Amino acid sequence: MINNSIFTKPSNCIFGFGIPNSKESFFEDQENASKDFAKMFGGVWSRYYYQFIRELEFTEPKLFVTGLKIKHNLTLEDFHKMFNSYYVVVLFSHWKGDAVEFSDGLKSTSEIVEGIPSSFHGILDLCVCHPDRLALLIREKKPNCLVRYIPNKATPIFWLNFYLVLFSYLNSNDLSYLKALEDTIFEFLKSKS
Amino acid sequence: MSKISTIFHSYLSDNSLLDLEKLGSEDKKVEVSRNTSDTLKNNILRESKFNNNIVVVAIVLLCIIFGLGIFFAIYYRDSPTTIGVIFGGTFLSLLAIVSRLRKIWLEKSLMDVSLSVIEDMSPQDAAKFIQTIYYNMLESNKKR
């Protein structure tokens, strides 16, 4: 069971990007049949840069300051290894059909769930937009792993700013991840209305 | 926003190429019609002609101000204060016209290049080209 009263600090968390974060990987993904996100930008790097990378360049140094670990070009194997060393694993990626995009391609929900260690007693935060099926499968197969996700579609810019607020809040307060997440969602909803 | 970026903006907007992509968005194929490509070419062509006229007017104005400056400088050659004012005024007017002319010239060059490039491209490739220029323009405007 997850203890909601444990304070979480960003240094106990890791943030992994399954979508490309560089010009090279963006263009490589255009040719890769098992990739999808970069293709949505029609092969135009400047559009991708404007809609995602620019914001990443702005938020990433601020996320580092909080003590958060960040992993780029996340492969499925890297993702599974993260569960051995961190209490909170955040997957920032793209969802398509029944699969999530990693640096080594789109991976099915069963492949993703299989590699999550059964001994993992932490939180998996899925920032991949409507990953309902994946969340259900994890809850069924890995009952010790608490899955969190917000079932809304949003732009990468929105999510980067959301996590920047969340981790800055965690860094400056003694809170559990779940409490910080709840408060951050509340603040975002308040600012939206 | 400059004229050229307004033209690009409306072209990209008509083809849904300004939409912000979301994590988890469904795959959508954007088909750029020949029609919107032709409208883009016509808009650039029209704006390019207008800019050409402005360039001619600005150059004529430049010559007139320069000529007037020389004329008044000779006419008031015995009054150093007046000559100072005339030179100062002429210099500032020329500076204003030249800086405006520079902007028009840059825009005109971009229009000419865009026109000549998209002329031989398929609508899909032209859309890619325009997106690249447009987003780079947005980026460089932000850096200024």
Side-chain angles (χ1 to χ4, degrees):
Chain A
M1 286 289 287
I2 303 292
N3 187 349
N4 194 21
S5 64
I6 298 173
F7 299 149
T8 314
K9 287 291 163 195
S11 53
N12 305 129
C13 311
I14 187 158
F15 200 95
F17 288 97
I19 52 177
N21 296 138
S22 67
K23 201 172 192 173
E24 293 72 30
S25 50
F26 174 81
F27 285 116
E28 277 167 22
D29 285 8
Q30 302 298 321
E31 312 299 324
N32 191 333
S34 73
K35 291 294 191 81
D36 186 64
F37 192 63
K39 288 177 188 158
M40 287 163 56
F41 294 81
V44 181
W45 164 253
S46 58
R47 184 174 173 205
Y48 190 70
Y49 181 85
Y50 194 78
Q51 290 194 11
F52 173 45
I53 303 296
R54 185 174 57 101
E55 196 64 23
L56 180 65
E57 286 175 353
F58 174 75
T59 50
E60 193 172 4
K62 293 184 169 66
L63 284 168
F64 269 129
V65 170
T66 66
L68 177 73
K69 305 286 182 305
I70 297 175
K71 172 88 183 118
H72 291 284
N73 302 318
L74 185 75
T75 61
L76 185 61
E77 196 188 343
D78 296 333
F79 175 67
H80 289 147
K81 280 183 189 162
M82 288 172 164
F83 293 97
N84 299 325
S85 325
Y86 297 93
Y87 175 66
V88 177
V89 173
V90 184
L91 174 62
F92 190 100
S93 197
H94 169 62
W95 175 272
K96 195 199 177 194
D98 194 24
V100 176
E101 185 167 325
F102 287 88
S103 185
D104 49 348
L106 287 160
K107 302 293 175 186
S108 69
T109 48
S110 54
E111 279 178 283
I112 297 167
V113 177
E114 246 169 55
I116 299 175
S118 300
S119 57
F120 177 68
H121 281 69
I123 300 168
L124 170 60
D125 190 341
L126 296 169
C127 179
V128 292
C129 291
H130 55 75
D132 310 46
R133 271 169 288 175
L134 176 61
L136 278 173
L137 201 62
I138 295 172
R139 278 171 193 154
E140 188 190 315
K141 305 265 182 196
K142 312 283 168 179
N144 294 326
C145 172
L146 182 70
V147 189
R148 296 292 311 178
Y149 70 96
I150 301 164
N152 289 350
K153 271 189 188 179
T155 61
I157 292 179
F158 171 85
W159 288 124
L160 285 173
N161 282 289
F162 177 86
Y163 283 101
L164 177 60
V165 172
L166 173 66
F167 285 109
S168 304
Y169 185 48
L170 272 176
N171 191 37
S172 47
N173 296 281
D174 290 332
L175 292 163
S176 71
Y177 188 79
L178 296 179
K179 173 73 178 129
L181 197 63
E182 191 182 303
D183 291 351
T184 310
I185 293 169
F186 178 74
E187 286 304 317
F188 268 75
L189 288 175
K190 211 166 71 177
S191 65
K192 203 178 164 187
S193 55
Chain B
M1 204 183 246
S2 68
K3 286 270 174 58
I4 185 83
S5 64
T6 311
I7 292 172
F8 288 168
H9 181 93
S10 84
Y11 163 77
L12 295 174
S13 170
D14 289 346
N15 289 297
S16 310
L17 290 167
L18 288 177
D19 297 352
L20 290 171
E21 297 299 346
K22 293 171 180 152
L23 293 174
S25 293
E26 289 306 313
D27 200 8
K28 52 169 189 184
K29 272 265 172 273
V30 176
E31 286 298 328
V32 183
S33 67
R34 173 75 57 188
N35 220 6
T36 52
S37 254
D38 290 342
T39 311
L40 172 73
K41 279 178 212 163
N42 292 337
N43 287 342
I44 296 177
L45 210 60
R46 196 186 56 235
E47 211 48 55
S48 178
K49 277 180 188 161
F50 179 73
N51 271 4
N52 283 346
N53 293 337
I54 292 185
V55 168
V56 172
V57 170
I59 288 172
V60 169
L61 208 63
L62 210 68
C63 294
I64 291 172
I65 291 174
F66 186 72
L68 278 175
I70 300 237
F71 170 75
F72 283 118
I74 294 167
Y75 191 78
Y76 292 104
R77 62 187 175 277
D78 296 332
S79 169
T81 319
T82 315
I83 287 181
V85 171
I86 290 165
F87 272 126
T90 311
F91 179 72
L92 288 178
S93 323
L94 293 179
L95 204 67
I97 293 172
V98 167
S99 69
R100 183 78 195 118
L101 202 59
R102 184 184 161 270
K103 279 182 191 161
I104 294 170
W105 197 265
L106 288 174
E107 206 172 273
K108 183 184 150 36
S109 310
L110 188 57
M111 283 177 187
D112 292 347
V113 169
S114 303
L115 263 180
S116 63
V117 172
I118 61 177
E119 195 65 47
D120 300 326
M121 280 181 167
S122 68
Q124 289 293 339
D125 288 340
K128 253 173 116 169
F129 174 75
I130 299 297
Q131 281 183 84
T132 303
I133 295 183
Y134 179 75
Y135 283 105
N136 280 332
M137 277 163 77
L138 287 184
E139 195 50 35
S140 62
N141 286 345
K142 278 214 166 6
K143 279 178 187 160
R144 269 178 213 160

